[in-house]
Amino acid sequence: MKTCLRCQTMMVEGCALTVESARFPVAVAQEDFRGKKVGRLVCAVCPQCGYVELQLADISNEQVQKKLQ
Ligand SMILES: [Zn+2]
């Protein structure tokens, strides 16, 4: 469980970012948006203050680790 860095409320995890006009998943890419995809982003939302925390979905995955080196 994650707690909000701003107000220490329990966050709602397993959320995803979407683009309003299209349904493309949001991901992290090397250098800029045209770069090689590193991994999928997931987010947690604080229901108290609205703070949103982003995280790579599979940080322990070997393929993701290789792309970060
Ligand atoms: Zn909060």
Side-chain angles (χ1 to χ4, degrees):
M1 296 290 262
K2 290 180 179 280
T3 54
C4 178
L5 296 176
R6 291 186 177 172
C7 71
Q8 284 69 52
T9 299
M10 297 303 277
M11 298 183 85
V12 178
E13 297 181 71
C15 300
L17 294 179
T18 64
V19 180
E20 276 193 49
S21 60
R23 294 189 180 224
F24 295 106
V26 177
V28 174
Q30 290 175 332
E31 296 181 19
D32 65 30
F33 69 94
R34 293 167 295 196
K36 188 174 185 179
K37 183 178 169 185
V38 173
R40 185 173 56 90
L41 280 177
V42 293
C43 64
V45 179
C46 175
Q48 180 68 30
C49 73
Y51 177 74
V52 175
E53 183 176 293
L54 298 174
Q55 185 173 21
L56 274 173
D58 302 314
I59 192 64
S60 60
N61 180 300
E62 190 175 308
Q63 296 298 323
V64 172
Q65 287 295 322
K66 283 183 182 175
K67 292 174 184 174
L68 292 172
Q69 294 173 359

